[in-house]
Amino acid sequence: MPQILVENLVKTFRVAERRPGLAGAFAGLFSRKHRTVRAIDGVSFSIEAGELIGYIGPNGAGKSTTVKALSGILVPDSGRCEILGRTPWKDRVAHVARIGVVFGQRTQLWWDLPVTESFELLRDIYRVPAEDFLKRRDELVALLGLGPVLDTPARQLSLGQRMRCDLAAALLHAPPILFLDEPTIGLDASAKLAVRDFVKRLNRERGVTVILTTHDMDDIEALCERVMVIADGRILSDGTLAKLRQSVTRERWLTLDLVEEKGAIEDPDARVVERDGLRVRLAFDPEKVSPAVLVARIAARHPVRDLFVENPPIEAIVARLYGELKP
Amino acid sequence: MTPYLAVVSARFRVLLQYRAAAFAGVVTQTFFGFVRLAILLAFFRAASGPQPMTPADLPAYIWLGQAMFQMVPWSLDREVAALVRTGGVSYELLRPVDLYNQWFARALALRTAPVLLRALPMVVLAAAFFGLGPPPSAASGLAFAASVAAALLLSCALTVLLNVTLMWTLSGEGVSQLVLVTVIVFSGLVIPLPFFPDWFQPVVTALPFAGLMDTPLRLYTGNIPATDAVAFLTRQVAWTLALVLAGRALLARGTRRLVIHGG
């Protein structure tokens, strides 16, 4: 039995619509129009212990709604969900004791308390035995480099410091499952790396199952073997990063540094993606033309100083995938 | 420490930091204490015939009322309101504890810490200079102490019930304004409840608000004799239980329809 099992989860919201303008606002006092929005519409998946899953999708696709339902704080309209043998929203208290959650946009630290006191409060709330707490806290403090900020009230932390503290706060009770909802949002490059590094170690060394929602494709490339893509409340794709890439495009990129900047590069099996002075980037389908043949053909006509072949960045793949979704 | 005690103690410590507010509160409550006392004494001078309270009851009723002013649920818990508005309430639901008890624990800190900061200096001031005397008997003193404890729990139950309305209203401003007036008038903080008209007495006595302030104060002065204390304490406890049950039932419905936007 998988650790997390989700079947046909549906959640709809009723949204009041207001007609524009003063007249509309006035009319809204007497009669309101409601519109039903299906935030998630039949989502199913299953996750084994120790997986690290990227859960991506455009804004409003239903990522956070799924995470909230899985966390037990949102009651779905229909569908089944079992995590560690429990239905989250039916058995909320027992369920949340076994998961850790970080919402990147909010903090769970007490605003006015020094970080270390927030940790102690969490120890009491999760009923963590004092010994386990001290051991885990010291480990997390060392891993995340929190030593210098422990006595600072949460409101005075920088975003990067806050996020690292929030990660520690979510793990003090040693949950086997961790939900991360946009944990790198707004962080600078080094803070992002620190968070990624930590999540990776947590997964590899401790076997913690992680579901990561993000808009940052570097997070996904750095961390996730398996990626689920959700759009309009439905799962579009579920599999390895390579499979996702394949399903969108087989295209590969050939980047050339030319010797001289003249003449158009033309080839029946490639198209120019961008050209910047001496550097030219071509997209081609490796099933139609092998890279060696293509390079030979072009080099015969244009002197080439350097070249390399690469996959298009996952960013471009996902952008294309989302683009295809738009009507 | 149990989870709920930990929540009480953490918030209590935070609230104790608001010393400037406490100082301002003491000054304000002292000023209004004199105004209320002056109005009532003037009334006694002009009144003819027997009155439901004696002028000797007044200093204790007024000054203890002013000192414990912060204990009444004069608004919902603004910290919870902010959590509901910003979606921070999702973290509250992620704790492996009962949400009602958690909010009750928050309320307990909210309704005690500010009182402790203000009550001590005010009681000392009032006893030294403004005529606050001891209760007429030890029994009255004990009845007062028990009744204050009951009033505190009643106040917390009402606070949490008000918090729960946030699940429907989101802002809570309207509820707070409505409650402010009701609570202050019907708990005896404007005029002591015995001075309300006779035909209205059954109503003010039956409402839960009397138990927030009027009951303990009158037990202290002996206006309600200590021998009657049990009946009044029972009423306070009964209202507390009723409000807790109502709050729990509403919260259970509210969390089902909870929508957490954004993020």
Side-chain angles (χ1 to χ4, degrees):
Chain A
M1 169 119 193
Q3 195 179 35
I4 299 177
L5 180 73
V6 176
E7 270 174 9
N8 253 321
L9 214 56
V10 175
K11 175 74 188 176
T12 57
F13 295 118
R14 261 181 99 211
V15 186
E17 279 189 333
R18 220 177 69 196
R19 279 149 277 188
L22 189 62
F26 191 70
L29 290 175
F30 301 100
S31 77
R32 289 207 182 172
K33 262 204 211 145
H34 289 274
R35 182 166 55 97
T36 304
V37 179
R38 291 194 151 224
I40 45 178
D41 191 4
V43 165
S44 306
F45 53 82
S46 74
I47 295 173
E48 299 294 335
E51 283 195 83
L52 203 170
I53 307 243
Y55 193 40
I56 62 173
N59 288 319
K63 296 187 299 295
S64 288
T65 305
T66 316
V67 170
K68 283 167 190 158
L70 262 53
S71 310
I73 61 181
L74 205 66
V75 184
D77 300 352
S78 65
R80 194 161 88 93
C81 172
E82 250 177 58
I83 299 180
L84 296 165
R86 291 190 196 89
T87 302
W89 53 91
K90 282 189 188 143
D91 209 352
R92 183 183 66 80
V93 171
H95 171 66
V96 296
R98 305 282 289 144
I99 60 167
V101 184
V102 175
F103 294 113
Q105 319 235 34
R106 318 194 157 107
T107 181
Q108 59 175 318
L109 305 166
W110 278 259
W111 207 235
D112 298 305
L113 294 180
V115 173
T116 182
E117 286 191 32
S118 278
F119 288 175
E120 282 159 19
L121 200 46
L122 288 167
R123 171 198 64 200
D124 292 335
I125 289 178
Y126 283 91
R127 303 171 209 255
V128 181
E131 255 174 60
D132 297 359
F133 169 75
L134 285 178
K135 192 170 142 262
R136 255 173 242 146
R137 186 197 62 185
D138 293 347
E139 268 175 22
L140 289 165
V141 165
L143 270 174
L144 288 159
L146 301 181
V149 299
L150 276 181
D151 293 320
T152 314
R155 61 180 134 80
Q156 290 172 13
L157 298 175
S158 75
L159 192 56
Q161 291 168 338
R162 206 214 75 200
M163 188 58 65
R164 282 182 286 139
C165 291
D166 261 310
L167 275 170
L171 293 164
L172 288 169
H173 56 294
I177 299 176
L178 181 64
F179 298 139
L180 299 173
D181 194 1
E182 302 190 38
T184 54
I185 193 164
L187 298 189
D188 65 33
S190 77
K192 273 185 188 176
L193 285 179
V195 167
R196 271 178 213 147
D197 212 47
F198 176 75
V199 172
K200 194 175 217 159
R201 290 189 65 175
L202 196 69
N203 176 256
R204 305 278 144 90
E205 292 171 18
R206 310 275 162 94
V208 174
T209 311
V210 180
I211 297 186
L212 167 72
T213 79
T214 185
H215 288 297
D216 188 328
M217 292 310 142
D218 293 338
D219 289 348
I220 299 288
E221 278 202 290
L223 294 174
C224 306
E225 301 262 294
R226 177 175 162 200
V227 182
M228 297 193 293
V229 184
I230 185 172
D232 280 335
R234 286 168 215 255
I235 302 273
L236 284 187
S237 138
D238 181 352
T240 61
L241 207 53
K243 191 183 144 207
L244 171 65
R245 209 184 272 284
Q246 287 274 312
S247 72
V248 177
T249 175
R250 290 194 306 259
E251 216 169 71
R252 235 176 273 169
W253 286 358
L254 168 64
T255 304
L256 301 164
D257 282 338
L258 301 175
V259 176
E260 47 196 45
E261 190 183 338
K262 63 174 190 192
I265 309 268
E266 276 172 0
D267 191 282
D269 291 322
R271 70 188 167 82
V272 178
V273 179
E274 67 183 287
R275 175 157 192 171
D276 179 19
L278 290 173
R279 173 160 284 201
V280 182
R281 180 168 287 160
L282 302 168
F284 66 98
D285 181 348
E287 309 244 309
K288 281 195 197 143
V289 54
S290 88
V293 171
L294 184 66
V295 168
R297 272 204 317 241
I298 291 170
R301 278 172 283 149
H302 307 272
V304 172
R305 187 195 309 278
D306 195 4
L307 64 89
F308 57 96
V309 177
E310 63 184 334
N311 281 321
I314 191 73
E315 197 85 52
I317 303 267
V318 171
R320 186 182 288 190
L321 184 63
Y322 293 176
E324 283 165 6
L325 300 171
K326 302 238 167 64
Chain B
M1 230 187 294
T2 75
Y4 306 109
L5 261 178
V7 170
V8 176
S9 123
R11 190 167 193 206
F12 196 85
R13 274 174 286 149
V14 170
L15 285 167
L16 282 186
Q17 290 169 4
Y18 296 103
R19 279 165 304 190
F23 179 75
V26 168
V27 173
T28 314
Q29 299 318 332
T30 308
F31 172 76
F32 279 104
F34 277 117
V35 172
R36 289 176 62 202
L37 204 54
I39 291 172
L40 284 168
L41 289 174
F43 159 81
F44 268 105
R45 236 169 272 136
S48 55
Q51 293 299 331
M53 286 177 94
T54 67
D57 293 341
L58 286 181
Y61 191 101
I62 299 293
W63 289 119
L64 287 177
Q66 295 299 102
M68 298 192 298
F69 180 76
Q70 290 279 330
M71 203 177 76
V72 300
W74 45 276
S75 81
L76 46 73
D77 188 337
R78 289 182 199 283
E79 203 174 279
V80 172
L83 286 176
V84 170
R85 203 172 48 248
T86 60
V89 72
S90 45
Y91 274 126
E92 300 265 292
L93 285 164
L94 282 171
R95 307 289 177 226
V97 292
D98 181 85
L99 185 61
Y100 186 91
N101 290 351
Q102 199 180 342
W103 282 4
F104 199 93
R106 278 177 183 275
L108 209 53
L110 176 68
R111 298 299 174 220
T112 50
V115 175
L116 282 189
L117 278 181
R118 289 162 176 76
L120 205 65
M122 281 207 61
V123 167
V124 170
L125 268 181
F129 305 111
F130 313 146
L132 169 66
S137 68
S140 287
L142 275 177
F144 166 74
S147 181
V148 167
L152 176 63
L153 296 180
L154 178 60
S155 171
C156 294
L158 206 52
T159 305
V160 180
L161 183 63
L162 298 176
N163 292 348
V164 174
T165 64
L166 287 166
M167 301 262 180
W168 282 267
T169 64
L170 291 185
S171 100
E173 278 310 307
V175 172
S176 279
Q177 286 181 12
L178 207 66
V179 155
L180 176 67
V181 177
T182 317
V183 161
I184 288 186
V185 170
F186 290 108
S187 65
L189 279 166
V190 176
I191 46 171
L193 295 189
F195 290 107
F196 277 71
D198 285 340
W199 58 267
F200 201 51
Q201 283 301 327
V203 179
V204 290
T205 326
L207 286 175
F209 311 108
L212 290 170
M213 197 51 82
D214 182 77
T215 305
L217 296 180
R218 280 164 67 196
L219 280 166
Y220 184 92
T221 62
N223 181 273
I224 300 172
T227 46
D228 290 355
V230 173
F232 280 85
L233 284 169
T234 309
R235 190 171 293 156
Q236 284 179 300
V237 172
W239 263 119
T240 307
L241 289 179
L243 291 175
V244 168
L245 290 179
R248 281 193 163 281
L250 269 180
L251 185 61
R253 289 185 57 180
T255 42
R256 280 198 70 84
R257 69 187 292 285
L258 185 66
V259 177
I260 295 158
H261 293 287

